[in-house]
Amino acid sequence: MEDFAAASGVSRPTVSKYFNDPNSVRKSTRARIEAAIERFGYRPNIYALNQNRKLTKNIGIVVPYLADPFFAEMARHIEAVVIAAGYRPILLGSHGDPAQELENLESLRDIRPAGVLLAPMGRRSDAERVRAFCADVTTVLFDCDIAGAGEAFVGSDNDQSIGLIVDHLCRTGTAPAFFEMREPANPNAIKRRNAYAAAMSRRGLEPMFIQVEGSGWDFEEIAFRGALRAIGRRALPSDTVLCSNDRLAIGFLSAAYERGWRVGRGPGCALRVAGHDDHPFARYTCPRLTTVAQDYAAIARRSAETLLDLIRGDSRATARETTLFRGRLVERASA
Amino acid sequence: MEDFAAASGVSRPTVSKYFNDPNSVRKSTRARIEAAIERFGYRPNIYALNQNRKLTKNIGIVVPYLADPFFAEMARHIEAVVIAAGYRPILLGSHGDPAQELENLESLRDIRPAGVLLAPMGRRSDAERVRAFCADVTTVLFDCDIAGAGEAFVGSDNDQSIGLIVDHLCRTGTAPAFFEMREPANPNAIKRRNAYAAAMSRRGLEPMFIQVEGSGWDFEEIAFRGALRAIGRRALPSDTVLCSNDRLAIGFLSAAYERGWRVGRGPGCALRVAGHDDHPFARYTCPRLTTVAQDYAAIARRSAETLLDLIRGDSRATARETTLFRGRLVERASA
DNA sequence: CAGAAAAATTTACGCGCGTTAAAAAACTGT
DNA sequence: ACAGTTTTTTAACGCGCGTAAATTTTTCTG
């Protein structure tokens, strides 16, 4: 920057000032600096720069698993909002590993982020240390909540969304059985399980569970194997199956097809299958998956804007806020 | 670090030395430092640290689109290799935007990476400026080649893999038509098109193309719409369709199902569909997708190790090397 | 125990910047 | 052309570290 300043005939502090806000310097000097940029292609080192700024423009985004299109999509939305607000997103995936999650948070400290948007891994997260991080860095959680961590939480209203789809399924056919992992790593899964049970109870019906074994992030495979066995044993308690999430539904549909069970609501269909989330691939399953959409855009926008408000100091000191967005029924062919 | 050194009763340069290589200090001082780490949880700031190291341990990884599970999966493999080698991966996705691709490369400069692994976006990439970057930073390309850019390229042998699947399809039924985007952004698509034409020619057959319109990264949607129309018009030149990649195949299968065309090779099937890549979701389509697998692990390993060799100076000055891995036929139910 | 070798300390500079305060220069209106 | 108001420059310090050379301390060898 020293050399660049000399080359552009301006002092270094002025150049620094320019990069901090081009409008803070006189038009004539701005022109000189910009001409020099054109000539030499100089740009300040963002990391050296962040070392001294009192407030950086860095926003960390941490998701549990980038190879899951749900999180990839969510991250994509959030990054767009963050960039539009003039901040700099740093996206980190934790590969489904709680240790990596902590490592990601710790490494974020080094860039002194203005704030962090964190989708925790869930039950496997080290809640204690996540809370400790949130105490130091302004953080907003999304998708998955950890009690007492972060300044706010933005997610989906599982009660409402599960109610919605159970409603739809009951209205259009047999009451659904609930297909899920026996020991899900995600608190949302627990909430959905309970929401399902409650929805059934409201109708005076006994909840029916199909629980499959498995752990890790290979949900489709877990569901595929589990469904294959359940269908093989003819152990389905209902001809309608509500899967705890779309990735499980994708595996389930694949298994049903494999077994020759026609899925859908038309005549000749043996089974109805529904999911939850409106996963990017849900529209291309066979048949196309009926599901309840999480509002990716709204969750992304709200969580990012909540964080930005906190950073800007517009809404300090208020109590921890929880925002739950309603799901939207996406009626396709599978149920 | 100053304070930490004082607290642990050791000088700062020694602490610095310790973090550079714990074995370079005496056992007794190592113990004192580690005790202090235990007590205070100190860790050096990775960015400040990289500012002065002559050689950093940073490896940049840039892929065109993280929301595409193919790249997410590839990145996952590469990160694992890089970490295992004791380096620090920095993963950046370009959101399908050439400008973002350049921005990612430029921002990588700021962390002075030891090297970069780049999967270029393809024809839309700014080849000139990518080459300029590669001239400054040791770079290995993977998945998609740009002539003259980087020290090496690692990818798939499209000739071999397309030959393999065409072979399989011809041996087990009708010769395939080739389903693709009319103007693909990816050079691999062009190679596959040519490989298909060549494979057909070798058999004395006329190549048959089904080309759909569309641009961007929403391949499934493009294929879905295109296939819907092609099937609707009964414009399929063959009862066997080879898709240029699995994402197109996923869309195609969805459209075929929608139209009530049974896909597979058994009796009662109207259509066979095959893909290319062994996309993470290819095993869960209905029917499960026959495809030719790219060797994710091998490509990841080879590209990372080629880069690391270059960094370590084991193999400088040699000519630009191109490594193509063979595809592996994955015979599932769809063809 | 002396002497040699190894390790640690001291001192100092550098990376690429932000930031501040005081001094100098460049503009504004008249 | 002048006082008054921006803007810029100068000078200096700081961030959190790596690194190098010279010096001192510790440890090892016999």
Side-chain angles (χ1 to χ4, degrees):
Chain A
M1 186 181 272
E2 195 80 58
D3 296 347
F4 171 77
S8 56
V10 173
S11 76
R12 189 178 68 77
T14 304
V15 171
S16 175
K17 201 149 176 282
Y18 166 84
F19 279 108
N20 201 353
D21 175 13
N23 290 317
S24 68
V25 304
R26 196 157 28 212
K27 209 167 65 174
S28 59
T29 57
R30 195 189 319 151
R32 282 155 72 187
I33 292 174
E34 277 162 0
I37 291 177
E38 203 62 31
R39 271 231 309 269
F40 304 109
Y42 170 82
R43 46 180 280 175
N45 183 312
I46 186 75
Y47 298 97
L49 177 156
N50 282 329
Q51 213 161 310
N52 283 353
R53 260 211 229 292
K54 70 262 144 162
L55 261 53
T56 74
K57 292 285 191 179
N58 294 327
I59 302 284
I61 305 170
V62 180
V63 297
Y65 202 70
L66 264 179
D68 184 334
F70 172 82
F71 288 111
E73 189 66 10
M74 195 63 98
R76 209 168 62 85
H77 276 91
I78 292 182
E79 284 196 278
V81 178
V82 166
I83 290 173
Y87 285 76
R88 185 164 176 280
I90 319 282
L91 175 60
L92 300 173
S94 302
H95 301 296
D97 177 6
Q100 182 69 53
E101 181 170 72
L102 287 177
E103 167 59 29
N104 285 341
L105 293 178
E106 289 307 319
S107 85
L108 276 178
R109 286 190 132 108
D110 289 351
I111 54 168
R112 312 193 323 115
V116 169
L117 287 159
L118 168 64
M121 292 218 340
R123 311 183 90 68
R124 292 177 57 223
S125 285
D126 187 332
E128 201 62 41
R129 297 184 59 182
V130 170
R131 268 190 287 264
F133 176 83
C134 295
D136 294 349
V137 181
T138 309
T139 301
V140 168
L141 303 198
F142 67 97
D143 181 62
C144 164
D145 203 2
I146 290 183
E151 314 271 345
F153 169 70
V154 180
S156 280
D157 184 346
N158 290 301
D159 283 330
Q160 179 268 341
S161 60
I162 290 290
L164 199 61
I165 185 89
V166 170
D167 228 49
H168 169 257
L169 293 174
C170 288
R171 210 172 43 237
T172 55
T174 323
F178 194 71
F179 184 84
E180 61 169 357
M181 284 165 69
R182 186 179 304 281
E183 287 170 5
N186 192 316
N188 285 327
I190 310 285
K191 285 191 190 143
R192 290 176 195 171
R193 171 191 295 171
N194 295 337
Y196 160 77
M200 292 292 278
S201 294
R202 279 200 299 275
R203 286 178 178 69
L205 300 172
E206 203 59 34
M208 302 166 277
F209 289 101
I210 312 166
Q211 296 183 319
V212 296
E213 302 296 339
S215 61
W217 284 82
D218 209 351
F219 297 160
E220 294 85 1
E221 186 63 25
I222 291 167
F224 180 78
R225 288 176 198 275
L228 226 45
R229 288 183 47 192
I231 295 175
R233 289 202 314 264
R234 310 208 161 250
L236 297 184
S238 164
D239 69 356
T240 298
V241 175
L242 171 57
C243 300
S244 180
N245 64 62
D246 283 351
R247 293 187 61 191
L248 291 176
I250 288 168
F252 194 103
L253 284 177
S254 185
Y257 189 94
E258 192 89 351
R259 290 293 193 210
W261 286 44
R262 189 167 174 82
V263 173
R265 44 188 178 186
C269 290
L271 209 54
R272 296 190 305 161
V273 175
H276 189 291
D277 290 347
D278 200 22
H279 186 283
F281 280 49
R283 39 167 36 96
Y284 306 110
T285 55
C286 302
R288 309 179 88 196
L289 187 62
T290 289
T291 186
V292 36
Q294 290 203 47
D295 194 338
Y296 290 81
I299 294 174
R301 177 167 303 281
R302 176 67 67 92
S303 51
E305 283 179 351
T306 302
L307 179 65
L308 292 174
D309 285 351
L310 285 164
I311 290 169
R312 299 192 199 104
D314 298 354
S315 56
R316 269 268 168 243
T318 70
R320 187 175 191 273
E321 200 176 312
T322 292
T323 309
L324 300 181
F325 284 98
R326 300 173 63 81
R328 180 176 48 84
L329 185 67
V330 179
E331 207 176 330
R332 299 204 182 95
S334 75
Chain B
M1 185 181 272
E2 195 81 56
D3 295 347
F4 171 77
S8 55
V10 172
S11 76
R12 190 179 67 77
T14 303
V15 170
S16 174
K17 202 150 175 279
Y18 166 83
F19 278 109
N20 202 351
D21 175 13
N23 290 316
S24 68
V25 303
R26 198 153 34 207
K27 209 167 68 176
S28 59
T29 58
R30 194 188 320 153
R32 282 154 73 185
I33 293 174
E34 277 163 1
I37 291 177
E38 204 61 31
R39 271 231 311 265
F40 304 109
Y42 169 81
R43 45 180 281 175
N45 182 313
I46 186 74
Y47 297 97
L49 176 157
N50 282 328
Q51 213 161 308
N52 284 351
R53 260 212 229 291
K54 25 117 220 269
L55 262 54
T56 73
K57 292 285 191 179
N58 293 328
I59 302 285
I61 304 170
V62 180
V63 297
Y65 201 69
L66 264 179
D68 182 334
F70 173 82
F71 289 111
E73 188 66 10
M74 195 64 96
R76 211 168 60 87
H77 277 92
I78 292 182
E79 284 196 279
V81 178
V82 166
I83 291 173
Y87 285 76
R88 187 163 176 280
I90 319 283
L91 175 60
L92 301 173
S94 303
H95 301 296
D97 177 6
Q100 181 70 51
E101 181 170 71
L102 286 177
E103 167 60 27
N104 284 342
L105 292 178
E106 290 308 321
S107 85
L108 275 177
R109 284 191 134 109
D110 290 350
I111 54 166
R112 315 194 320 114
V116 169
L117 287 159
L118 168 64
M121 292 216 342
R123 310 184 91 71
R124 291 177 56 222
S125 285
D126 187 333
E128 201 63 40
R129 296 183 59 183
V130 170
R131 268 190 288 263
F133 176 83
C134 295
D136 294 349
V137 181
T138 309
T139 302
V140 167
L141 303 197
F142 67 99
D143 181 61
C144 164
D145 205 1
I146 291 183
E151 314 271 347
F153 170 71
V154 180
S156 280
D157 183 346
N158 289 300
D159 283 330
Q160 180 268 340
S161 60
I162 290 290
L164 199 61
I165 186 90
V166 170
D167 227 50
H168 170 258
L169 293 174
C170 288
R171 211 171 43 235
T172 54
T174 323
F178 194 72
F179 184 83
E180 61 169 357
M181 286 165 68
R182 186 180 305 282
E183 287 171 4
N186 192 314
N188 285 326
I190 310 285
K191 286 193 189 141
R192 289 176 195 172
R193 171 191 295 171
N194 294 336
Y196 161 76
M200 292 292 277
S201 293
R202 278 201 298 276
R203 285 177 177 70
L205 300 171
E206 204 59 33
M208 302 166 278
F209 289 100
I210 311 166
Q211 297 184 318
V212 297
E213 302 295 340
S215 61
W217 283 82
D218 209 351
F219 297 160
E220 295 85 1
E221 186 64 25
I222 291 167
F224 181 78
R225 288 177 198 276
L228 227 46
R229 290 183 45 193
I231 294 173
R233 291 201 313 264
R234 307 208 164 250
L236 297 184
S238 165
D239 69 357
T240 300
V241 175
L242 171 58
C243 299
S244 181
N245 64 61
D246 284 351
R247 293 187 61 190
L248 291 176
I250 288 168
F252 194 103
L253 284 178
S254 184
Y257 189 94
E258 193 89 352
R259 289 294 193 209
W261 287 44
R262 190 167 173 81
V263 173
R265 45 189 177 184
C269 290
L271 209 52
R272 296 189 305 161
V273 175
H276 189 291
D277 289 348
D278 199 21
H279 186 285
F281 280 49
R283 38 166 39 97
Y284 306 110
T285 56
C286 301
R288 309 180 86 194
L289 186 62
T290 289
T291 186
V292 36
Q294 290 203 47
D295 194 337
Y296 292 80
I299 294 174
R301 177 166 303 280
R302 177 66 67 91
S303 52
E305 284 181 351
T306 301
L307 179 64
L308 292 174
D309 285 351
L310 286 163
I311 290 168
R312 300 192 198 104
D314 299 353
S315 57
R316 269 267 170 242
T318 70
R320 186 175 194 274
E321 201 177 310
T322 292
T323 309
L324 300 181
F325 283 98
R326 301 172 65 80
R328 181 176 48 83
L329 185 68
V330 179
E331 208 176 327
R332 298 202 183 97
S334 76

